[in-house]
Amino acid sequence: MKKSLYRLLLFSILPLLFIGYAVYVTGKTTDDFYKRFSSPRQNSFILGSSRAASMNPEIIDNIIRQKYPEAKLYNYAFTWAHSPYGPKYLESIKKKIKPDTKHGVFIVTVEPTALMISKTGPDDPYYYTENDKSVARTSNVTANPNFEYLIESFDFSITKELNKKIMPEKNQMVEVSVLDNGQLQGKVLKRFSPEKRKSVNREKMMEFKNRIDNLRMSNVRMQYLIRTIDFLKKHGKVVLVRMPISRTAYTIENAAVPDFDNTIKGISTAEQVEYINYNHIPNHYKWTDEVHLEPESMDQFSGQIGKYILLLK
């Protein structure tokens, strides 16, 4: 009887240990979000979609430290589908912030798709698309290891991940990792030819136009943006930022939501926070796909934001 129990335990525990090792070890490095849900509470944030996910907190910290010595920025931006402004994102932010923060800095990036919903659906948080995604589903955003996230939200293949450790992917174009400060860091390993890049980006912009054409502005999301600002103002300096995108992408956004900039200006005035639209400032940035800045350009842009914040009253 005892031998049978020992065998049962042996053959139960070893597979579980193997699975745990594969999920935990590979999950830390291969998943875009795991580190953000397994790091401690923070006192300053970069918020928004994937456009902001690779913004460099270290560069900004080094610039603003003389004015905001207590602030240490953490990139808590996900994607337009995971972290549009709404009750779930705000709830996650509240769980992630250090409660006693008084002198933090909060870069709140805005774009139309982060404040839109489906044209065919009701403007009711119960039906929002982010409800079944990791930001909404992860109740504990500081556990390390975060088994809740790994079990509930981490889409993985143990065989694939372990094989990648043994035989790295061939012809990989970008190497992506999440740093301890939350930044999604991308390293360009290989580039398309100029002709191929134009073709790929043309397709991406067609997809982008089709997506935004099927969305409409949400009054409820707008109210949650205001609630997010109100919450963060209690903890420090809030700055609204519209990140630079290519002229093609910006034209598509403005055709779909022509009043967006004025709407955000109205919110910034009412909330008494600064707003800057970097699409109105000439630049020489480069984008991987017309909306996401390449790593070098993102570092330059991060420095520009830092200098802007340093000059604010």
Side-chain angles (χ1 to χ4, degrees):
M1 182 67 176
K2 287 184 178 179
K3 287 184 178 180
S4 298
L5 287 173
Y6 286 142
R7 288 193 186 116
L8 179 62
L9 287 171
L10 180 65
F11 286 104
S12 298
I13 292 172
L14 286 178
L16 286 173
L17 288 174
F18 174 77
I19 292 171
Y21 170 81
V23 173
Y24 176 55
V25 174
T26 61
K28 289 196 299 182
T29 56
T30 60
D31 177 72
D32 289 353
F33 302 151
Y34 179 80
K35 273 194 173 180
R36 297 196 184 130
F37 294 122
S38 58
S39 58
R41 289 177 180 263
Q42 307 292 327
N43 71 12
S44 299
F45 293 125
I46 295 165
L47 301 173
S49 72
S50 58
R51 297 184 192 180
S54 58
M55 196 182 297
N56 193 320
E58 183 179 6
I59 289 176
I60 302 172
D61 284 344
N62 288 337
I63 294 172
I64 69 173
R65 185 171 292 125
Q66 56 183 290
K67 189 172 182 179
Y68 301 96
E70 297 178 28
K72 188 173 182 181
L73 279 158
Y74 187 86
N75 198 314
Y76 206 57
F78 295 85
T79 75
W80 75 274
H82 287 77
S83 55
Y85 293 103
K88 297 301 183 181
Y89 194 23
L90 177 55
E91 181 182 335
S92 190
I93 292 166
K94 287 180 176 180
K95 291 176 180 178
K96 194 69 176 178
I97 197 168
K98 290 180 179 178
D100 59 349
T101 299
K102 297 296 181 184
H103 304 289
V105 172
F106 306 98
I107 300 171
V108 180
T109 65
V110 291
E111 66 199 61
T113 49
L115 291 159
M116 300 177 82
I117 56 170
S118 170
K119 279 184 175 178
T120 59
D123 195 359
D124 183 338
Y126 181 81
Y127 299 99
Y128 284 176
T129 57
E130 68 266 29
N131 290 344
D132 64 348
K133 295 178 176 60
S134 57
V135 174
R137 292 169 66 179
T138 308
S139 61
N140 190 333
V141 298
T142 59
N144 188 16
N146 194 329
F147 291 112
E148 177 196 21
Y149 174 78
L150 292 173
I151 293 168
E152 293 285 337
S153 301
F154 183 30
D155 183 16
F156 69 97
S157 165
I158 292 173
T159 303
K160 178 182 176 182
E161 296 302 336
L162 291 179
N163 283 343
K164 281 165 64 177
K165 298 292 181 182
I166 300 169
M167 294 186 301
E169 182 181 344
K170 293 182 179 179
N171 297 319
Q172 187 176 358
M173 301 199 71
V174 180
E175 185 178 79
V176 177
S177 60
V178 178
L179 304 184
D180 289 341
N181 59 16
Q183 180 191 358
L184 186 67
Q185 186 182 63
K187 181 180 179 182
V188 179
L189 304 177
K190 183 180 178 182
R191 295 181 183 275
F192 287 125
S193 66
E195 294 75 17
K196 179 65 174 177
R197 181 78 270 169
K198 286 182 181 179
S199 175
V200 170
N201 283 359
R202 193 179 304 115
E203 291 180 10
K204 286 184 177 294
M205 286 299 94
M206 289 175 62
E207 293 172 2
F208 180 55
K209 185 178 186 304
N210 289 336
R211 187 174 80 210
I212 202 168
D213 284 347
N214 287 309
L215 299 173
R216 63 186 172 95
M217 291 301 296
S218 162
N219 289 328
V220 175
R221 288 205 188 282
M222 205 68 72
Q223 288 303 312
Y224 270 97
L225 171 62
I226 294 170
R227 290 187 192 184
T228 301
I229 294 169
D230 285 339
F231 171 74
L232 295 173
K233 280 165 60 178
K234 300 173 185 176
H235 297 283
K237 184 73 173 179
V238 179
V239 181
L240 294 176
V241 174
R242 190 172 182 182
M243 293 185 64
I245 55 179
S246 75
R247 186 53 49 188
T248 301
Y250 192 59
T251 300
I252 291 171
E253 282 191 345
N254 283 345
V257 193
D259 294 330
F260 183 78
D261 213 38
N262 286 333
T263 300
I264 300 299
K265 285 179 182 176
I267 290 174
S268 71
T269 300
E271 292 295 306
Q272 296 183 318
V273 297
E274 298 292 335
Y275 168 58
I276 182 168
N277 183 347
Y278 277 97
N279 293 281
H280 294 163
I281 300 172
N283 66 73
H284 299 285
Y285 298 140
K286 294 180 180 179
W287 295 266
T288 58
D289 58 359
E290 308 286 16
V291 297
H292 296 93
L293 289 167
E294 288 195 356
E296 185 177 345
S297 289
M298 181 58 88
D299 284 349
Q300 294 171 3
F301 176 65
S302 299
Q304 195 171 3
I305 283 190
K307 292 174 184 175
Y308 172 73
I309 293 172
L310 190 62
L311 295 174
L312 294 177
K313 295 181 179 179

